[in-house]
Amino acid sequence: PEITMDFKECHACICDENGQLLLYSNGQTIHGPEHKPVINGDSINYSPRWSNLQVLQDGEYWKPTGFRSPQCVGFFPQPTSDTIIALYQNYENHDFAEFPTGYEELWMGKIVKDQNGAYEITQKDSVLNSKIFKSGALTACRHGNGRDWWMLQFNMDTVYHYLIEPSGVILDHISILPFVLRGTLGQSKFSPTGDKFALHGTYKIINNSGFQTDFMVSDFDRCTGELVSPRLHFLSGYNASLSTGLEFSPDGTKIYTSKLDQIFQFDLEAEDLIGSRVTIAEYDNSICTQFGSGARLIFGQLQLGPDNKLYVGRAVQCFNISVIDFPNEKGLACNFRHNEVELPTYTNGTIPTFNTYRLGPLDGSACDTLGFNNNPISRFWYQQDSLDFLSVQLWDVSYFRPEQWQWEMGDGTTSTDRHPTHTYTAPGLYEVCLTVSNENSEDTSCQTLNLGVSSTVDSEPSIDVSIFPNPVRDNLRLTLHDYLPQEAIVLFYNTQGQMVLKNKVIGGVNMINVSDLDSSAYVWEVRDKGLLMGTGQVIVVD
C-alpha cells in the first residue's frame, strides 16, 4: 500500500511483540498498519503552527508534514488493557523560527480498537500539563513492578514524574533539579538496563562560534521514578541548531552523542565521564545525490535497534542512515559504518523512537509486589564471516534477564558463551538453537543456517535474493535471505549480454556500488560455485 505520512524530526511508532506495526505518528496525524489515518486520527495536536507544517497544493493545505522536533510524540501501552496512549507536545506558544519564548503543553490521546478491529481515537488533545519545556522528550521506562511505565517531562529545574498505570496517565509527583536545563532540539533516553537517564540538547550560541549543549546524565530508580544524583555537563563546539542525538549502548555502559559532523562515545564506568569522550565517527564529505541538491550527509538522531545495533539518522533530507555494529565495545571497536542502510524513501532529520520494552520487574525490590517474574525470551541473529564462509558469528539479543546461555550448533557441538563464533567443517543445513534461562524459567529459539551449497544439491536451489532500491543511482543493497554462500558473486550484464560488473557477496546484506555503470537496464545474477541463486533486472539512473 502507498505510505502517505511525511516526517520531519518528530516520529514515533509502536509494534506488537512480533514486530508487526500497530501505529505511527509525526505529531500531527496517527496512522495504523494499513498506512491510513486511524478513525479520528487525521488531525491531532492542532495549533496555529499547522499552516506552516502542511503541503500546499492548488492553493489549499492538504497534508501535514510533521513537527520538526525530536521525540515530540510517543506511544505507551496502558497496562492491563488494549488501550494505547499517545502523548504529544503542543507548540502554540513558541515562535517557530527562534528559540522557545514560552512553554509547551503536554497533550494526550487514547486509541482503542472498535468492534470491527479498526483503531479509533476515543479521546484526543486532552491537556495534561501546560508548562513543559522540552528538554526532556517523550520516552518511557518500565516501572520496577514490571507492569507500569515512568515518563519524565521537564520545565527548567522542575521534573514532572508521570506514571502510566491501568487507570491511565497520572502525575505521580514533582521534583526539583539542582540546576536549570535549557536544552532544546535534542533527545532523551533511558538506558536499556533501566538504571540511567540522559538528555542532550542544543542550548545557545557561544560567541557566534558554535552551540553549547546541555548534557545531563543521572542514575534512575525504577521503583520511585526518581533521578538519582543527576549531573549536568556543558558540551561546547556543537556547530548547528539542528538536532543533536543521544543513545545508550545495549549494556548501559556507554553513551553516544552526535553533532552534525561527529559522533562521540562516553564511558559511564570511567571516573571522568567527559574526559572519557572518544570520537568514533566524523563526517566523510558524502552528499545526498538522489535529489541533485548536494546536501551534506551530516549526523542527526540516534536510536538503538532490537538487534542491538545503533542507527544514526541524518539531520538533512536524504535516503541513507549509518550504523554502529557493536555499541557495547569501546572506541573504534564499536565499528561505525557510513551510509550503511538505504531506505525506500527519503527521511528529513528523523528516526523512530521507542520505549525500553525489554525490562521486567526488579526482582526482590520493594516495588516487586505484583507477582510478575522475569521469564527470559530467547532471540539471536547471525552473521557470516566475509573471509571464511564456514565461520559464523552468533549474537544473543535475548531479554527479561537471561543469565545462562546454551547454544546447540546443529553439528553436535555446543557453547555457553553469550556471543560465540562457530566454524563448521562442511557446508549443509544446521539448526542452531539458543536456550536462555534464569532461576524462573528458560526459553529456546531456533534458526536454520543454510551454509553453502550442499553436495546433495542436484539442481539449482531456490534462494530468496532481493535488491533495493530499483531504480538505483549509487549503492545497491543486495540481500541473501537465510542463505550463507560458499563463493557467491553477483554479476551485472548490459543489454548486449556483456558482463560489466562483478562483486563477491556473503549471506545477509551486501552494498554494491554501481555508480560507474551507465544509465541503463541491467540483468543481475547471483551465483554460488556456478549455481544460479537468483536473477532479475535493475535500472541504473543518473
Side-chain angles (χ1 to χ4, degrees), residues 482-522:
D482 303 322
Y483 179 67
L484 305 177
Q486 289 191 51
E487 300 174 3
I489 54 174
V490 59
L491 305 161
F492 291 81
Y493 298 91
N494 62 20
T495 54
Q496 288 76 45
Q498 300 167 319
M499 187 184 71
V500 294
L501 182 64
K502 175 181 176 181
N503 266 73
K504 179 182 177 181
V505 293
I506 63 173
V509 176
N510 301 264
M511 299 303 293
I512 312 297
N513 190 303
V514 297
S515 59
D516 289 337
L517 297 181
D518 295 331
S519 296
S520 183
Y522 296 87

Side-chain angles (χ1 to χ4, degrees), residues 177 189 198 273 280 370 409 517:
L177 294 168
K189 295 290 178 70
L273 176 66
I280 60 97
L370 301 180
M409 301 302 182
L517 297 181

Side-chain angles (χ1 to χ4, degrees), residues 372-392:
F372 290 98
N373 290 321
N374 279 294
N375 294 303
I377 301 296
S378 173
R379 296 287 186 271
F380 69 94
W381 61 278
Y382 57 87
Q383 186 172 21
Q384 184 180 30
D385 191 298
S386 61
L387 300 178
D388 182 358
F389 81 95
L390 292 172
S391 182
V392 179

